[in-house]
């Protein structure tokens, strides 16, 4: 009888991790956990303490700081696999899952399913010949060396790649390796996993190659399995049911998807909404049951396509999701930096990107050219971003795979602030209060077209104090709104006062806030 060692990579929500581990091991299976080293150690210790008496749980011996698209995700997986091989000698299969995955069949059904076929389940398509990649980088993922993360250091990522292009540093994969690509959600037999680990130890050249590719979790295991295992023993599919929207984002499943999920020819599904408590309860009970009478119809994708053509996502029938989506997500936190001097606001957002794990986006509702990922067109213009603002922000949270996101706003964007503040997610505001010299205000008037090179001096003399008064009025309106979580960063405050405001706003240790607050020329024009 098959016994599964689940390989779980996770970075948040320790209670959900504990619940998932207890649920999966209760049916006689095992789990090896890698908890991202970027996440708080207290959360990691909470998980270890809660599962300390469960002999079917083990942990990667070393935690890795993981980043989306990086080799670190593969490294974390290998460390969890290594721990599982050592701790669970009776495990016959190794199944990769995330914290958003849940079983959609019983454990008994899953074990019988795996026993019925002596194969590995992993999507594995030729990297260069297939059309598996729908958008974004293709050959560039492999032929250039990637040392920077495209999401957190976009400028460095593309500058490095373009420099290699100019210098002609294109490279080829190892000569005996055919690079494959596919979903990272695989289920492999024990002997395949053992072959992979032996290969990793013996072929450091292959490891070095993949360690500087982009998104290697979609190519590394897929390539090695095809290299080490006969084709007849590979089923090029995943056993985890997942779908993507027209915007390239994973579809999230809710309480009303229970019957549809059970009818799919898969063992697990991703992603289950954190808010779908009833669905989680029912699927948890299902995995522990002895039920095996599942009627497989596989209508999930065709039903989803039918409904999305009519403007539906996430619920049975309704309006288009960007018109009806009510929330960014209960457990999410939107951090809004409000600054009239955009260069100061951007300076702070850049420091947030550099010194914290919080993704930060510049003035996306004010500047057309703000760098944004391709979200299917909804990000294409300020008008679209503003009209579909909640949908846009929800997609950005999903894109960055985060529960905390910082953005910049002009003080005049009060309607947007009000809207986000009424969302059931948590919204924090930091208003940067700066001094405005006459010269800066005049420059502002020229930039926005309130004055020109030929404007008479007497008109300018009247205009400058009027604009200054308007700035004060915008600030007063923000204070009058009574936002529950509003902090103020004042230019004329002491470094200690600035650090306190930043620490509360970002929820970071005060010493890190001091590092940001004492940045040289922070308020300079």
């Amino acid at each position: 009888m098959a016994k599964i060692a689940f390989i779980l990579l996770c970075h948040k929500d320790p209670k959900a991790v504990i619940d998932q581990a207890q649920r999966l091991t209760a049916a006689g299976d095992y789990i090896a956990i890698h908890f991202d080293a970027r996440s708080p150690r207290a959360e990691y210790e909470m998980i270890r303490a809660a599962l300390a008496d469960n002999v079917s749980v083990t942990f990667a011996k070393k935690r890795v700081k993981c980043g989306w698209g990086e080799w670190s995700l593969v490294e974390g997986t290998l460390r969890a696999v290594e721990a599982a091989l050592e701790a669970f000698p009776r495990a016959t299969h190794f199944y990769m899952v995330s914290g958003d995955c849940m079983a959609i069949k019983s454990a008994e059904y899953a074990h019988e399913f795996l026993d019925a076929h002596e194969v590995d389940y992993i999507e594995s398509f030729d990297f260069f010949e297939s059309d598996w990649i729908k958008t974004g980088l293709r050959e560039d993922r492999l032929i250039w060396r990637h040392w920077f993360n495209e999401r957190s250091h976009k400028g460095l990522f593309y500058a490095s790649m373009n420099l290699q292009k100019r210098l002609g540093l294109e490279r080829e994969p190892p000569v005996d390796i055919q690079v494959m690509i596919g979903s990272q959600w695989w289920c492999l037999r024990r002997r395949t996993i053992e072959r992979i680990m032996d290969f990793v130890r013996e072929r450091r050249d292959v490891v070095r190659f993949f360690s500087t590719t982009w998104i290697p979790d979609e190519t590394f295991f897929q390539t090695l399995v095809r290299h080490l295992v006969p084709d007849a023993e590979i089923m090029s599919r995943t056993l985890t049911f997942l779908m993507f929207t027209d915007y390239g984002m994973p579809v999230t499943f809710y309480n009303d998807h229970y019957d549809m999920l059970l009818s799919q020819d898969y063992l697990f599904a991703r992603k289950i909404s954190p808010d779908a408590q009833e669905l989680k309860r029912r699927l948890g009970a299902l995995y522990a049951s002895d039920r095996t009478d599942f009627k497989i119809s596989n209508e999930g994708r065709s039903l989803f396509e039918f409904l999305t053509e009519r403007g539906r996502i996430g619920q049975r029938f309704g309006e288009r999701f960007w018109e009806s989506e009510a929330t960014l997500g209960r457990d999410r936190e939107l951090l809004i930096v409000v600054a009239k001097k955009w260069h100061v606001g951007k300076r702070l957002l850049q420091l947030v990107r550099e010194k914290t794990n919080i993704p930060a986006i510049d003035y996306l509702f004010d500047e057309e050219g703000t760098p944004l990922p391709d979200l299917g067109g909804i990000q294409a213009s300020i008008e679209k971003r503003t009209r579909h603002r909640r949908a846009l922000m929800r997609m950005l949270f999903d894109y960055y795979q985060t529960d905390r996101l910082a953005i910049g706003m002009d003080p005049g964007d009060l309607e947007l602030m009000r809207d986000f503040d009424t969302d059931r997610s948590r919204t924090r505001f930091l208003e940067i209060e700066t001094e405005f010299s006459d010269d800066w205000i005049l420059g502002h008037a020229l930039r926005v077209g309130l004055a020109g090179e030929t404007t008479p001096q007497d008109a300018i003399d009247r205009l400058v104090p009027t604009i200054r008064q308007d700035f004060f009025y915008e600030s007063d309106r923000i204070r009058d709104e009574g936002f529950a979580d509003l902090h103020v960063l004042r230019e004329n405050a002491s470094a200690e006062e600035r650090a306190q405001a930043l620490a509360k706003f970002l929820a970071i240790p005060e010493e890190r806030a001091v590092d940001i607050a004492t940045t040289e020329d922070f308020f300079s024009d």
Side-chain angles (χ1 to χ4, degrees):
M1 174 67 76
K3 290 184 76 68
I4 306 170
F6 292 99
I7 307 300
L8 172 63
L9 260 63
C10 49
H11 67 282
K12 62 179 181 178
D13 200 349
K15 185 180 182 304
V17 173
I18 294 165
D19 291 344
Q20 188 177 29
Q22 292 173 335
R23 192 165 50 237
L24 294 176
T25 57
D29 292 315
Y30 312 107
I31 191 166
I33 299 172
H34 177 275
F35 194 70
D36 195 337
R38 294 185 189 275
S39 301
R41 182 160 189 87
E43 294 186 357
Y44 176 62
E45 296 297 346
M46 174 183 171
I47 297 169
R48 293 206 66 137
L51 301 173
D53 296 331
N54 191 330
V55 297
S56 296
V57 177
T58 192
F59 293 84
K61 292 182 178 179
K62 181 180 179 182
R63 296 166 66 202
V64 178
K65 291 184 178 181
C66 295
W68 189 92
E70 296 178 6
W71 169 254
S72 53
L73 288 175
V74 177
E75 184 181 354
T77 303
L78 290 172
R79 291 187 182 278
V81 166
E82 187 176 41
L85 280 170
E86 181 180 336
F88 310 129
R90 295 181 60 198
T92 62
H93 294 76
F94 293 72
Y95 197 128
M96 182 79 178
V97 294
S98 75
D100 298 319
C101 296
M102 284 199 71
I104 55 174
K105 301 291 187 295
S106 65
E108 185 169 341
Y109 180 96
H111 296 154
E112 291 179 359
F113 183 96
L114 294 175
D115 282 335
H117 306 283
E118 187 59 31
V119 295
D120 296 306
Y121 294 91
I122 183 168
E123 280 191 351
S124 182
F125 304 101
D126 186 279
F127 184 94
F128 295 100
E129 300 298 329
S130 72
D131 63 349
W132 194 87
I133 300 174
K134 303 300 183 186
T135 61
L137 299 179
R138 294 176 184 268
E139 290 82 359
D140 288 341
R141 291 191 188 188
L142 300 182
I143 63 177
W144 312 112
R145 296 161 184 82
H146 299 283
W147 296 288
F148 304 101
N149 190 296
E150 193 266 349
R151 290 188 172 182
S152 59
H153 297 90
K154 189 182 292 287
L156 290 172
F157 179 92
Y158 287 103
S160 170
M161 188 167 65
N162 291 331
L163 178 61
Q164 292 177 70
K165 289 180 181 180
R166 288 198 299 272
L167 297 176
L169 298 179
E170 181 177 345
R171 62 175 177 174
E172 296 288 338
V175 292
D176 60 330
I177 295 293
Q178 179 185 7
V179 180
M180 311 298 286
I181 192 168
S183 167
Q184 64 269 52
W185 311 111
W186 40 255
C187 178
L188 305 177
R189 297 167 295 172
R190 184 182 191 92
R191 67 170 173 266
T192 299
I193 286 289
E194 290 172 340
R195 289 175 183 173
I196 289 173
M197 298 307 289
D198 288 341
F199 186 90
V200 166
R201 286 186 285 269
E202 295 167 4
R203 291 294 302 273
R204 304 308 298 173
D205 61 316
V206 175
V207 173
R208 281 194 299 272
F209 172 78
F210 279 103
S211 68
T212 52
T213 61
W214 182 236
I215 320 182
D217 54 327
E218 293 180 350
T219 54
F220 182 74
F221 291 98
Q222 297 76 2
T223 298
L224 266 56
V225 170
R226 188 66 68 173
H227 183 74
L228 298 169
V229 178
D231 288 353
E233 296 180 25
I234 300 173
M235 189 70 70
S236 187
R237 58 159 295 190
T238 175
L239 295 180
T240 298
F241 179 62
L242 65 162
M243 298 188 298
F244 292 89
T245 69
D246 295 339
Y247 296 93
M249 305 303 295
V251 172
T252 300
F253 299 112
Y254 297 88
N255 291 332
D256 63 342
H257 287 109
Y258 179 80
D259 293 328
M260 183 271 283
L261 290 174
L262 265 58
S263 67
Q264 306 310 304
D265 187 21
Y266 296 85
L267 303 183
F268 278 72
R270 184 180 188 272
K271 305 169 63 171
I272 306 300
S273 168
D275 298 327
Q277 296 301 320
E278 177 64 13
L279 178 61
K280 289 184 175 183
R281 184 194 65 77
R282 296 178 73 183
L283 291 178
L286 175 69
Y287 191 70
S289 74
D290 58 0
R291 180 180 171 185
T292 57
D293 59 332
F294 297 94
K295 293 179 171 58
I296 306 300
S297 63
N298 265 346
E299 88 294 348
R301 287 186 172 83
S302 58
L303 176 61
F304 178 77
E305 182 179 355
F306 171 81
L307 290 170
T308 49
E309 284 177 354
R310 287 149 182 81
R312 179 267 188 209
I313 197 168
Q315 297 176 345
R316 277 289 175 193
F317 303 98
E319 301 171 288
R320 299 175 72 83
F321 88 94
W322 51 81
E323 296 169 344
S324 64
E325 189 62 48
T327 180
L328 308 186
R330 185 186 302 277
D331 299 323
R332 286 172 168 170
E333 193 171 69
L334 181 62
L335 308 174
I336 301 178
V337 174
V338 183
K340 195 64 187 182
K341 289 186 175 180
W342 291 4
H343 61 283
V344 177
K346 291 179 183 179
R347 201 170 286 151
L348 175 58
L349 292 167
Q350 179 60 31
L351 289 167
V352 169
R353 284 190 287 267
E354 292 174 357
K355 298 182 182 296
T356 76
N357 293 326
I358 305 170
I361 303 171
D362 293 344
Y363 289 68
L364 71 166
F365 295 109
D366 302 287
E367 280 191 312
E368 199 88 52
T370 300
L372 290 170
D374 185 353
L375 301 175
I378 195 173
Q379 83 296 339
S381 66
I382 289 178
E383 189 271 336
K384 282 188 176 182
R385 298 173 203 167
T386 304
R387 188 169 72 242
H388 308 310
R389 47 190 173 263
R390 291 200 183 188
L392 172 68
M393 295 310 303
R394 190 178 184 104
M395 292 167 72
L396 286 169
F397 274 104
D398 289 340
Y399 176 84
Y400 287 105
Q401 295 185 326
T402 184
D403 290 327
R404 304 186 76 210
L405 182 66
I407 62 173
M409 276 194 190
D410 186 275
D413 297 334
L414 188 59
E415 180 186 350
L416 290 172
M417 297 180 214
R418 286 178 184 144
D419 187 43
F420 287 129
D421 189 59
T422 59
D423 189 86
R424 63 177 176 175
S425 62
R426 183 170 183 177
T427 305
R428 295 188 187 196
F429 299 90
L430 179 74
E431 183 185 8
I432 302 180
E433 187 180 275
T434 55
E435 302 293 321
F436 300 105
S437 68
D438 288 354
D439 286 343
W440 190 89
I441 293 177
L442 177 57
H444 171 80
L446 292 170
R447 286 189 295 273
V448 300
L450 293 175
E453 296 296 334
T454 59
T455 303
Q457 185 61 45
D458 61 336
I460 290 175
D461 292 341
R462 292 192 302 272
L463 183 62
V464 167
T466 302
I467 294 175
R468 178 180 280 110
Q469 187 57 41
D470 189 59
F471 291 166
F472 292 150
Y473 174 66
E474 288 180 338
S475 181
D476 286 341
R477 290 177 69 204
I478 292 172
R479 310 290 174 85
D480 291 342
E481 280 298 315
F483 294 131
D485 211 339
L486 173 64
H487 308 272
V488 181
L489 184 69
R490 293 183 172 88
E491 181 176 357
N492 58 10
S494 67
E496 182 181 357
E497 291 171 324
R498 295 179 197 167
Q500 289 174 351
L502 286 168
K504 292 176 182 177
F505 172 67
L506 295 170
I508 58 174
E510 194 151 326
E511 58 269 20
R512 195 179 306 174
V514 169
D515 189 25
I516 297 174
T518 55
T519 300
E520 188 176 356
D521 297 327
F522 181 86
F523 287 95
S524 68
D525 293 330

